[in-house]
Amino acid sequence: MCPKTSKTTPLLLIGGICFVIVLVGITGITLINNINLSNIIRLNEKVASDSVSNNENQIKELNYVNNHPRNVYLKLNASRDDAPDEQMQKEQEQEQEQEQLSNQELPKMSAVIGGTKPKVGDNQWKASSEAISISTSMYPTPSSTSAGELTPTPSAGDAPSSSSSSSSSSSSSSRSSTVTAPPLPFGGVKYNQSGGLIDYEKRNQVVKMMEHAWHNYKLYAWGKNELRPLSQRPHSASIFGSYDLGATIVDGLDTLYIMGLEKEYREGRDWIERKFSLDNISAELSVFETNIRFVGGMLTLYAFTGDPLYKEKAQHVADKLLPAFQTPTGIPYALVNTKTGVAKNYGWASGGSSILSEFGTLHLEFAYLSDITGNPLYRERVQTIRQVLKEIEKPKGLYPNFLNPKTGKWGQLHMSLGALGDSYYEYLLKAWLQSGQTDEEAREMYDEAMLAILDKMVRTSPGGLTYVSDLKFDRLEHKMDHLACFSGGLFALGAATRQNDYTDKYMEVGKGITNTCHESYIRAPTQLGPEAFRFSEAVEARALRSQEKYYILRPETFESYFVLWRLTHDQKYRDWGWEAVLALEKHCRTAHGYCGLRNVYQQEPQKDDVQQSFFLAETLKYLYLLFSDDSVLPLDEWVFNTEAHPLPIKGANAYYRQAPVALPVSNAS
């Protein structure tokens, strides 16, 4: 007879198994968390390691900002935290007292640099002249000396610097045409000389967006080019590939500086010093993109700080691009291998042609690089491009988008103020502005090009919207790229800087295009604009094709809001900018950064998992400046390159930092 089995035995067995499963699960979760924590700790240690340099370098670096004897170091508390009303009022009262003292003791810096400020014509900036000059209480005031030489006037208590001593000892043999300027304070210039035009709450929100974008890039993609926020890893398919070029660091660093985010700026600056180089990068890099992001970014940081590191790095990158200019015409190729020097064009570009917007968007950076290094080579290269484009026959006064660098002949007759053409026209106007309005050739070419575009490509829709259409083989496409939305600000800037027969038309069209781009945003459920939009009897300012409905965090519309706000102070431009901030926060923000959208016409659009470097360099910078006072990077002292990196205007800005020009020694005894 079999023994009787207890009924509790299976229950105990099942209970034991369940207990073991739970125990294993808890152990596994704990192990995974420990691994994740360990990875994060190692990444933070890597960032910290990249940020550490020896004590000598640290002291040298800190001196040019914190301990500079002629620098007033400012902290923008409002850039990180909402300032209480009482504190804000107290700050404003202090600023007003400072301004009054400044006005009593010192002349305006911008009025004495180079003798006079650049002439802007009878149609002056609509912002008051008070609003677009740098407060001299912040910086030493240059005073004119014999033969037009400019030297800084030290403030009380300043010790003579070695550079000033050496310049005075050698003044008999050479003269410098430059002004020694201190570093630009973090956060730009903070004072309400134009009547309290800072919107602290909205600007502070943009700063928080910048912090969110930067900190997540640092956590998940430090040293790489861009971030994939959803995947929480680097974006290796960017235009710069998988090489560790730190595109987001270089592109976004001047935005951090302007916003007063010092800690983040220091991390980026240290990485550039320790890690950034193109010496061993065997990759075909875009000459255009490398120039506007890397050369442009470094040049701006040099203008802001005077730190020679940035000038050296800018020259290093530009030198790597020079082999692309070795063509029969001097028109550079689009791509260059920065290690081998082998250059070529894109295979799809109209029979091996170079692209107008690429080879035509080098002038600001290369001309300025020549001036701060004393090496004329860079300016010569872009001046050759200028002469080719000036002398070539232009069909109906228009510039096609493709030019063969070997034959010097146009490719297919496709004209655009959007993709493939856009920033060439921008650089014509801005080269003239950068020169202190002395480069008349650039202004004449700008006016001629704009008049042809107004006649042949700018149209008004049945609903009254102004747009600039692409033109292919004499046929208007009635399509406008998001990239062309910068032209609202371009036309307006052309109107504000010279009074001529076209001034009123320029301003009218500039306002109209900016309004149309705003319409392309508010006609989408996401309140963000598509990559391209069309006009017909049935539809206006709306994308029709699936490949046109995406938004990749582009800045062009906000750029025009910023420029039009500075020139008109019409509140609607700030209102439109705030609409965009709310839309970005609602649809593009993720837990680990910001993404573009695949379809702006969907209520819940899919994200593209890419945080573009230009989101930090351009989009957030223009939105920040939109809510700032006009005294932060005033438009009569700075021009923005096409990646929104501000470059100083010659003769109007102490931060131009031109290399000393030695004059021949007189033989007279």
Side-chain angles (χ1 to χ4, degrees):
M1 190 166 96
C2 294
K4 188 176 180 181
T5 304
S6 171
K7 295 181 179 180
T8 61
T9 301
L11 295 176
L12 290 173
L13 182 60
I14 293 171
I17 293 172
C18 291
F19 176 76
V20 171
I21 291 172
V22 171
L23 185 61
V24 170
I26 292 173
T27 303
I29 291 171
T30 303
L31 180 61
I32 291 171
N33 286 338
N34 287 339
I35 291 172
N36 287 338
L37 180 60
S38 175
N39 286 338
I40 291 173
I41 290 172
R42 281 200 298 270
L43 180 57
N44 285 332
E45 287 174 349
K46 179 179 182 296
V47 173
S49 174
D50 285 348
S51 298
V52 172
S53 56
N54 59 53
N55 291 335
E56 181 180 353
N57 286 338
Q58 284 183 344
I59 293 171
K60 177 183 176 182
E61 175 200 346
L62 289 174
N63 278 343
Y64 78 84
V65 172
N66 288 343
N67 302 329
H68 196 294
R70 294 186 298 272
N71 184 40
V72 177
Y73 184 79
L74 297 181
K75 290 281 190 180
L76 280 185
N77 294 326
S79 68
R80 289 185 182 266
D81 303 298
D82 291 326
D85 294 341
E86 182 178 347
Q87 180 182 348
M88 190 183 304
Q89 183 177 357
K90 183 177 179 181
E91 290 177 354
Q92 292 175 355
E93 290 174 356
Q94 292 175 346
E95 290 163 359
Q96 290 171 0
E97 292 175 2
Q98 188 180 49
E99 175 192 340
Q100 292 172 359
L101 180 63
S102 166
N103 290 338
Q104 292 171 1
E105 295 180 354
L106 298 170
K108 294 294 179 190
M109 172 181 282
S110 56
V112 296
I113 296 176
T116 59
K117 293 176 70 172
K119 196 173 180 181
V120 294
D122 296 332
N123 184 25
Q124 297 287 345
W125 311 99
K126 295 194 177 181
S128 66
S129 59
E130 297 270 359
I132 48 179
S133 53
I134 294 181
S135 172
T136 51
S137 63
M138 308 290 180
Y139 315 111
T141 305
S143 57
S144 57
T145 60
S146 61
E149 183 181 353
L150 298 174
T151 57
T153 301
S155 57
D158 283 351
S161 64
S162 59
S163 61
S164 62
S165 301
S166 62
S167 64
S168 61
S169 64
S170 61
S171 59
S172 60
S173 60
S174 67
R175 291 189 180 121
S176 170
S177 62
T178 62
V179 174
T180 302
L184 193 70
F186 274 94
V189 183
K190 184 194 174 192
Y191 71 107
N192 289 334
Q193 202 170 16
S194 55
L197 291 177
I198 303 175
D199 191 325
Y200 287 96
E201 179 182 1
K202 293 181 175 61
R203 189 176 72 170
N204 185 49
Q205 178 59 41
V206 179
V207 174
K208 290 177 180 177
M209 295 169 71
M210 182 69 183
E211 290 177 310
H212 183 64
W214 177 267
H215 290 162
N216 280 283
Y217 164 78
K218 183 178 77 172
L219 185 60
Y220 298 110
W222 185 248
K224 303 295 183 180
N225 291 316
E226 291 172 333
L227 167 67
R228 295 177 69 90
L230 299 181
S231 305
Q232 297 161 48
R233 59 187 175 87
H235 179 219
S236 60
S238 75
I239 57 172
F240 297 110
S242 58
Y243 286 94
D244 294 2
L245 301 181
T248 294
I249 298 175
V250 180
D251 224 5
L253 207 56
D254 63 340
T255 306
L256 294 172
Y257 196 99
I258 293 164
M259 291 182 176
L261 298 175
E262 179 188 0
K263 176 179 176 292
E264 293 82 354
Y265 165 79
R266 294 287 176 202
E267 293 168 345
R269 192 265 179 202
D270 288 345
W271 184 90
I272 290 174
E273 181 177 38
R274 292 165 57 83
K275 300 289 186 180
F276 179 79
S277 174
L278 296 183
D279 284 337
N280 297 312
I281 304 299
S282 183
E284 293 176 343
L285 296 183
S286 164
V287 174
F288 163 71
E289 296 286 359
T290 305
N291 173 63
I292 65 173
R293 302 193 197 203
F294 289 89
V295 180
M298 299 291 189
L299 291 176
T300 291
L301 291 163
Y302 176 68
F304 282 178
T305 67
D307 187 345
L309 168 72
Y310 298 122
K311 179 169 67 173
E312 293 165 6
K313 295 295 186 182
Q315 190 168 13
H316 165 71
V317 177
D319 287 345
K320 295 292 186 180
L321 302 181
L322 288 177
F325 292 78
Q326 300 303 315
T327 67
T329 61
I331 299 295
Y333 291 115
L335 301 168
V336 63
N337 186 306
T338 54
K339 187 173 184 179
T340 66
V342 175
K344 67 177 185 179
N345 275 333
Y346 296 105
W348 54 264
S350 188
S353 291
S354 298
I355 299 168
L356 179 67
S357 66
E358 297 196 345
F359 66 77
T361 309
L362 302 165
H363 204 103
L364 296 186
E365 295 83 5
F366 274 50
Y368 183 49
L369 185 59
S370 275
D371 281 354
I372 64 173
T373 61
N375 185 345
L377 175 64
Y378 310 105
R379 185 186 294 274
E380 290 169 0
R381 291 292 183 266
V382 292
Q383 194 61 38
T384 296
I385 298 171
R386 168 85 64 81
Q387 292 309 307
V388 170
L389 292 172
K390 181 182 180 182
E391 295 169 6
I392 193 172
E393 183 179 354
K394 290 168 274 292
K396 299 183 179 179
L398 297 168
Y399 291 85
N401 291 338
F402 301 104
L403 184 66
N404 191 300
K406 296 179 180 178
T407 66
K409 297 184 181 299
W410 295 116
Q412 65 185 32
L413 298 183
H414 175 200
M415 292 79 162
S416 177
L417 203 52
L420 307 179
D422 51 7
S423 47
Y424 165 65
Y425 306 98
E426 176 186 1
Y427 272 39
L428 288 177
L429 177 65
K430 291 183 176 179
W432 173 70
L433 292 173
Q434 182 189 46
S435 72
Q437 303 188 12
T438 61
D439 185 358
E440 281 298 324
E441 180 180 70
R443 177 72 202 214
E444 290 171 5
M445 292 175 70
Y446 165 80
D447 283 326
E448 291 170 359
M450 291 298 102
L451 290 176
I453 288 172
L454 285 173
D455 181 41
K456 303 293 192 307
M457 297 167 61
V458 173
R459 294 293 182 266
T460 303
S461 73
L465 297 180
T466 301
Y467 62 98
V468 54
S469 172
D470 285 2
L471 183 67
K472 286 188 176 180
F473 303 103
D474 290 333
R475 183 180 64 85
L476 287 171
E477 286 197 294
H478 300 288
K479 174 186 78 74
M480 182 173 170
D481 290 339
H482 188 291
L483 288 166
C485 286
F486 87 99
S487 63
L490 181 69
F491 276 110
L493 197 59
T497 50
R498 169 165 285 178
Q499 181 71 39
N500 57 26
D501 294 340
Y502 330 121
T503 298
D504 293 340
K505 184 63 175 177
Y506 282 170
M507 184 59 76
E508 175 191 349
V509 170
K511 290 179 178 179
I513 288 175
T514 304
N515 176 70
T516 298
C517 292
H518 174 248
E519 288 291 326
S520 77
Y521 273 59
I522 63 175
R523 296 183 186 199
T526 58
Q527 303 286 284
L528 293 168
E531 179 70 3
F533 42 93
R534 297 176 181 270
F535 299 85
S536 68
E537 294 292 339
V539 66
E540 294 188 349
R542 185 178 175 90
L544 297 178
R545 302 177 182 178
S546 59
Q547 66 268 30
E548 298 172 349
K549 295 180 179 180
Y550 62 88
Y551 172 71
I552 55 172
L553 305 174
R554 287 204 186 276
E556 290 78 17
T557 297
F558 313 143
E559 177 182 356
S560 286
Y561 293 171
F562 160 66
V563 174
L564 266 297
W565 160 256
R566 283 286 178 94
L567 299 181
T568 69
H569 285 166
D570 188 331
Q571 180 61 33
K572 71 181 180 185
Y573 297 113
R574 278 189 163 178
D575 294 341
W576 293 353
W578 185 242
E579 289 173 2
V581 169
L582 297 178
L584 287 167
E585 288 290 85
K586 180 178 180 180
H587 296 289
C588 299
R589 185 184 179 107
T590 74
H592 304 290
Y594 291 85
C595 297
L597 307 177
R598 297 192 185 280
N599 189 339
V600 297
Y601 298 108
Q602 294 177 345
Q603 294 290 345
E604 298 293 335
Q606 182 183 2
K607 296 177 174 63
D608 68 2
D609 197 19
V610 179
Q611 181 175 279
Q612 305 279 351
S613 80
F614 57 68
F615 179 67
L616 291 80
E618 300 185 76
T619 305
L620 294 179
K621 183 185 288 138
Y622 281 129
L623 289 170
Y624 177 85
L625 293 173
L626 177 63
F627 300 117
S628 294
D629 190 84
D630 289 4
S631 57
V632 181
L633 303 177
L635 292 182
D636 62 346
E637 296 176 10
W638 300 88
V639 291
F640 292 79
N641 88 338
T642 199
E643 190 76 5
H645 296 306
L647 299 173
I649 291 177
K650 191 173 185 178
N653 194 327
Y655 300 98
Y656 197 83
R657 304 184 189 279
Q658 184 166 353
V661 178
L663 299 180
V665 179
S666 173
N667 293 325
S669 57

